[in-house]
Amino acid sequence: MPNSGTQKLFRILSIDGGGIRGIIPAVVLSHLEKTTNRPIADMFDLVAGTSTGAILAAGLTMPNGNGRAMYSAEQMLDLYVNRGREIFVRSFGRRLQSHVFEEKYDHSNLERILKETFGAATIAKCTVPVVFPSYDIEARKPYFFKTSKARESNSRDHSLREAVRATTAAPTYFEPELLANPAGDPKRRVLVDGGVFANTPAMCGYVEALSQGEASDRIVLLSLGTGKATERYPYEDAKDWGLWQWARPIVSVMMDGSQDVVDHHLNSLLPSNGANRRYFRFDAVLDTGFDALDETSKTNIEALVRKGRSIVRSKKAAITKLVSLL
């Protein structure tokens, strides 16, 4: 229960997309667990995650068979640090091919790690309800993986590994996920990364809470970023870009734009400072040239860990306030 006297708060955790940069929120979440001596699943009532954020959310809410979460935040951090490079590996043949004509990475390594990590667990069984956004490129509309829907209908109870695979299918990086309906419905879904419209899924979590009958003045929301890019694209360079030149920066530009809009809106909807603060956004500024979703060198992984620790150091007062509400 929230530590808030007689007032019962509804606590939402939101984790951005960002590939290997998921290390940053994993460090912050590990700190929260160590500070409170409680698992993340005991601190929140709803967890929203996009792309890499969904990997973390799934791991932190997946049941272990005894009604508890399977993984700690520290264990999820270890997964990124020790196995992140396995996901972003290009075969010799793929390196010879142009990135323009095929996605950058084979999805088989990603799917193997997701299967090993999440097994046959389904969304309905999560110890805390989750929301994972993705986008159906055939239907041309968003598709949300939700525990609330999965518990109402078997047709929405997808496996965690399928849901995570769908919301991590970043355009130009991995091929779309062709999702079969678990109830045998012939309707298919062709899904890509939810980051194309909701890289920061905090608003998705907020709206889900309202739809479940929670009052806005009872909501506490922690939104964790995966680092803000600092590389600039001068007009003189970008004005003549075509498909080839836009292929690399477009994903980063799209992600940054959406997260700024969501942060602006939530700052208006929820108190974000003072004694009544209930909205917290923690993020770090990335060094120019080290903002790629797939930069898995040992040097960059260590730098991302340091970025997470810098948030912990610089946000001590805000974290103390947050913990009092959890």
Side-chain angles (χ1 to χ4, degrees), residues 229-252:
T230 54
E231 184 175 0
R232 298 180 182 276
Y233 304 109
Y235 168 77
E236 290 75 14
D237 294 337
K239 67 183 180 69
D240 294 321
W241 282 356
L243 178 62
W244 170 263
Q245 291 91 347
W246 270 111
R248 186 181 69 86
I250 190 62
V251 174
S252 177

Side-chain angles (χ1 to χ4, degrees), residues 152-167:
E152 292 174 356
S153 170
N154 289 336
S155 68
R156 298 295 296 272
D157 192 18
H158 304 280
S159 69
L160 277 175
R161 61 186 177 87
E162 287 178 322
V164 172
R165 168 69 176 88
T167 191

Side-chain angles (χ1 to χ4, degrees), residues 16-303:
D16 285 12
I20 194 62
R21 287 156 38 185
I23 286 173
I24 295 174
V27 170
V28 176
L29 292 170
S30 178
H31 174 75
L32 282 179
E33 287 191 337
K34 292 174 182 176
T35 298
T36 62
N37 197 30
R38 298 161 62 199
I40 292 299
D42 283 0
M43 288 186 250
F44 294 93
D45 303 297
L46 176 69
V47 184
T50 296
S51 195
T52 199
I55 295 177
L56 289 170
L60 296 172
T61 62
M62 173 184 170
N64 65 0
N66 296 314
R68 309 294 290 174
M70 175 69 78
Y71 302 109
S72 67
E74 188 69 21
Q75 287 173 311
M76 294 304 295
L77 174 59
D78 288 343
L79 178 69
Y80 278 78
V81 171
N82 297 321
R83 304 195 66 186
R85 296 189 69 181
E86 294 180 41
I87 295 174
F88 300 106
V89 174
R90 300 180 76 185
S91 67
F92 177 73
R94 197 168 289 260
R95 288 198 300 271
L96 292 178
Q97 296 172 355
S98 172
H99 188 191
V100 170
F101 300 108
E102 190 171 11
E103 65 278 353
K104 191 173 183 180
Y105 299 103
D106 188 312
H107 57 278
S108 59
N109 283 349
L110 171 61
E111 290 186 346
R112 174 174 51 81
I113 291 176
L114 294 180
K115 183 176 182 179
E116 292 172 2
T117 304
F118 302 120
T122 67
I123 296 173
K125 301 298 184 181
C126 287
T127 57
V128 174
V130 298
V131 177
F132 303 152
S134 64
Y135 188 81
D136 189 330
I137 60 174
E138 282 196 352
R140 294 301 296 267
K141 63 181 180 180
Y143 183 74
F144 292 92
F145 296 93
K146 297 182 180 183
T147 300
S148 61
K149 294 295 184 182
R151 290 175 179 172
E152 292 174 356
S153 170
N154 289 336
S155 68
R156 298 295 296 272
D157 192 18
H158 304 280
S159 69
L160 277 175
R161 61 186 177 87
E162 287 178 322
V164 172
R165 168 69 176 88
T167 191
T168 55
T172 77
Y173 288 87
F174 297 106
E175 72 176 42
E177 167 77 345
L178 178 58
L179 187 70
N181 190 309
D185 189 322
K187 182 177 182 180
R188 71 178 188 176
R189 302 186 185 279
V190 183
L191 303 174
V192 299
D193 196 321
V196 300
F197 72 97
N199 197 59
T200 296
M203 187 62 75
C204 301
Y206 179 79
V207 172
E208 175 70 2
L210 296 182
S211 72
Q212 296 299 313
E214 300 297 334
S216 179
D217 62 359
R218 296 290 185 266
I219 290 175
V220 175
L221 200 157
L222 169 61
S223 178
L224 296 179
T226 58
K228 288 187 64 66
T230 54
E231 184 175 0
R232 298 180 182 276
Y233 304 109
Y235 168 77
E236 290 75 14
D237 294 337
K239 67 183 180 69
D240 294 321
W241 282 356
L243 178 62
W244 170 263
Q245 291 91 347
W246 270 111
R248 186 181 69 86
I250 190 62
V251 174
S252 177
V253 171
M254 179 177 58
M255 287 167 49
D256 279 358
S258 67
Q259 64 194 34
D260 290 341
V261 169
V262 170
D263 185 44
H264 172 75
H265 287 161
L266 285 171
N267 267 295
S268 300
L269 291 168
L270 296 171
S272 57
N273 53 56
N276 296 320
R277 181 174 184 177
R278 288 184 285 108
Y279 172 59
F280 302 81
R281 171 70 177 172
F282 297 155
D283 205 355
V285 176
L286 298 172
D287 300 323
T288 300
F290 290 93
D291 58 356
L293 310 182
D294 56 347
E295 177 51 74
T296 57
S297 66
K298 184 174 184 292
T299 298
N300 194 54
I301 286 176
E302 291 173 348

Side-chain angles (χ1 to χ4, degrees), residues 299-311:
T299 298
N300 194 54
I301 286 176
E302 291 173 348
L304 292 172
V305 171
R306 289 195 296 272
K307 288 293 184 182
R309 290 172 178 167
S310 73
I311 292 175

